[in-house]
Amino acid sequence: MPYQGDECAMLPSVAVEGPVRPAVRTGNIRYAVRDIAVLAEEVRRSGKPMLYLNIGDPNAHDFAPPEAVVEAVCRALRDNRNGYAPSSGIPEALEALRADACARGMRGVQHAFITNGSSEAIELALSALVNRGENVLTPTPGYPLYTALLAKLEAENRPYFLDEERDWAPCVEDMAEKIDTRTRAIVLINPNNPTGASYTRSALERIVELAVRHNLVLLSDEIYDQLVLDGEPHVPTAALRDDAKVVTFNGLSKAYCCPGFRLGWGLVSGPAAEVGDYCEAIRKMERARLCANHAEQYAIAPALATPAAYGQEVRAKLARRRDITCARLNAIPGISCVRPGGAFYAFPRLNLDVSDDEFVAELIRQTGVVLVPGSGFGQRPGTRHLRVVFLPPEEQLHLAFDHMAGLAARWQ
Ligand code: PLP
């Protein structure tokens, strides 16, 4: 007799014939950044020249990794370091990560683990923490991987707002109101995707205080930490207080222009006695998936040792493109844009009589310019936005904004 407990009774009975029925949990999974590519691909096949301002991939434009980073991987491949790696990562990369974290004030790192992109670190950290029915506070707007993973884990995504009127700073009061007995963690993305906002030390201190008071884990996504374009320098969340329980995510995809390596990491910090069991749960999951890409891990130590001039050049190029983006968007009647202080995203507001989904679809069909609608990242009810990636060279940005201005005129 098959198990007939309560949980099974809630599920529809398994069909004996017909198409394969996908798991219910996949119903809520969305990833607008790639979803929009389907329409863009249709338009591209029709022969229209395209301008892609939709994917945060520096290598799709005129950015390249530091030479030493590529060379380290080539050397590892030539030396046949192609076997499985240790599950948490190779010792020299883990040592480099710990030393770098310590130099940036993160003194309480209890576990470092290397993963296939920071995406996998986020998945392991969430899977080892959250049970079905518990909830996690995520930024709105925010990076959609978090909501997709929470759907997969059958946990509740509980959005808190970022305030457009305050340069997209996190609304700590809203966060505090949304915490209940089933809340396990708060996600922070700093600098943020999709707003490009970089958070102040005082905002971070308030959030850390809140997390400590409610015994919550802070999941601090710092993948754009090297891309703060102006204002206060980046502050690692885990450097703020020794008693905070923080998992910091980072990787080679953005600051070192190696998204194709699929190499990232997580650093768990906090009092050893309080995060020990959690670290062990993460280790179990690491072992179950064997290891991250092996040869690419040899890039981590040279990447962290990259001369400062590399980052300065990247930031200077991005700052010029950010300035063009803000000036051109703010000059379009019906569009307003908060100046992003970091990363390579702007999140302009649409004050026209058209939905963001329709505006983006029309823009792609009519002009070949590809953006992502704000709906893909979450936004305050009643507001509409567009996510613009300002990685492309200046002349391409100008052309894209000419097209946007032309289309916007239709609804002015
Ligand atoms: N976190 C944020 C905020 C991102 O924007 C991205 C990618 O765009 C990722 C994580 C995933 O990066 P990766 O898996 O390439 O390290």
Side-chain angles (χ1 to χ4, degrees):
M1 178 77 178
Y3 175 68
Q4 290 288 326
D6 286 351
E7 290 187 7
C8 287
M10 288 166 63
L11 296 173
S13 57
V14 176
V16 289
E17 58 185 29
V20 176
R21 202 174 58 219
V24 176
R25 70 175 70 87
T26 61
N28 285 333
I29 295 178
R30 304 263 181 289
Y31 192 84
V33 180
R34 296 247 165 180
D35 293 349
I36 204 73
V38 178
L39 172 62
E41 184 51 21
E42 258 172 45
V43 175
R44 188 194 66 79
R45 278 210 227 100
S46 74
K48 196 175 253 321
M50 306 298 288
L51 279 171
Y52 294 101
L53 278 67
N54 60 320
I55 295 197
D57 179 353
N59 305 55
H61 305 285
D62 52 346
F63 294 88
E67 200 52 45
V69 167
V70 178
E71 187 43 43
V73 178
C74 292
R75 204 175 321 120
L77 288 168
R78 278 196 300 268
D79 292 350
N80 195 24
R81 279 177 271 171
N82 288 314
Y84 291 118
S87 293
S88 295
I90 59 169
E92 49 267 69
L94 291 171
E95 274 161 33
L97 286 173
R98 282 177 175 275
D100 181 69
C102 193
R104 295 195 294 123
M106 298 160 66
R107 290 179 303 269
V109 175
Q110 306 297 344
H111 179 47
F113 57 106
I114 297 172
T115 49
N116 288 323
S118 64
S119 303
E120 194 196 25
I122 296 166
E123 176 153 20
L124 296 188
L126 274 174
S127 308
L129 180 69
V130 187
N131 294 302
R132 179 189 294 174
E134 292 176 338
N135 67 70
V136 171
L137 270 52
T138 63
T140 291
Y143 182 58
L145 173 65
Y146 292 92
T147 39
L149 287 175
L150 289 169
K152 187 166 145 186
L153 293 170
E154 297 175 44
E156 186 194 339
N157 170 47
R158 204 167 268 196
Y160 65 87
F161 290 116
L162 308 180
D163 277 342
E164 189 166 14
E165 296 69 30
R166 296 188 302 122
D167 293 340
W168 292 115
C171 183
V172 186
E173 294 72 26
D174 187 40
M175 236 179 227
E177 269 171 27
K178 289 185 172 153
I179 295 171
D180 68 11
T181 52
R182 305 194 112 197
T183 307
R184 301 299 312 281
I186 302 175
V187 173
L188 281 179
I189 306 175
N190 175 33
N192 183 270
N193 176 6
T195 67
S198 185
Y199 299 166
T200 61
R201 175 180 283 270
S202 67
L204 290 171
E205 280 169 350
R206 289 183 64 206
I207 296 166
V208 173
E209 201 281 319
L210 188 70
V212 171
R213 186 151 34 95
H214 291 275
N215 195 25
L216 302 177
V217 175
L218 280 163
L219 299 172
S220 191
D221 187 329
E222 303 184 15
I223 189 99
Y224 300 102
D225 65 345
Q226 306 295 310
L227 300 178
V228 173
L229 303 179
D230 44 37
E232 287 180 36
H234 176 80
V235 181
T237 307
L240 287 172
R241 257 170 82 158
D242 293 345
D243 56 350
K245 295 158 196 143
V246 184
V247 191
T248 307
F249 304 114
N250 214 323
L252 297 182
S253 296
K254 312 293 178 175
Y256 304 102
C257 301
C258 296
F261 281 13
R262 304 309 304 126
L263 235 268
W265 53 85
L267 304 172
V268 186
S269 0
E274 292 182 35
V275 296
D277 290 348
Y278 180 40
C279 292
E280 190 43 40
I282 293 175
R283 284 193 192 96
K284 276 195 226 170
M285 304 197 66
E286 289 164 17
R287 296 194 286 267
R289 63 61 154 127
L290 299 177
C291 64
N293 298 326
H294 187 175
E296 285 80 357
Q297 296 187 40
Y298 294 91
I300 291 179
L304 297 177
T306 301
Y310 172 84
Q312 283 157 4
E313 201 181 305
V314 169
R315 286 189 293 273
K317 204 147 99 172
L318 285 176
R320 281 196 300 276
R321 294 176 191 189
R322 183 268 319 267
D323 291 346
I324 290 170
T325 300
C326 284
R328 290 292 317 262
L329 288 171
N330 281 318
I332 303 175
I335 293 183
S336 60
C337 182
V338 172
R339 181 182 166 86
F344 32 64
Y345 307 104
F347 202 57
R349 185 163 178 165
L350 204 53
N351 299 308
L352 298 167
D353 194 19
V354 57
S355 74
D356 46 357
D357 293 300
E358 194 186 338
F359 186 90
V360 167
E362 272 304 282
L363 191 70
I364 296 173
R365 286 194 205 102
Q366 303 297 328
T367 72
V369 174
V370 191
L371 306 178
V372 186
S375 60
F377 304 91
Q379 43 198 352
R380 267 191 202 271
T383 65
R384 289 149 292 144
H385 296 82
L386 309 165
R387 192 191 71 168
V388 176
V389 172
F390 55 78
L391 284 165
E394 298 178 20
E395 63 284 1
Q396 286 186 29
L397 289 175
H398 279 297
L399 192 56
F401 299 132
D402 289 346
H403 283 311
M404 278 178 75
L407 184 74
R410 194 194 288 184
W411 292 282
Q412 279 153 13

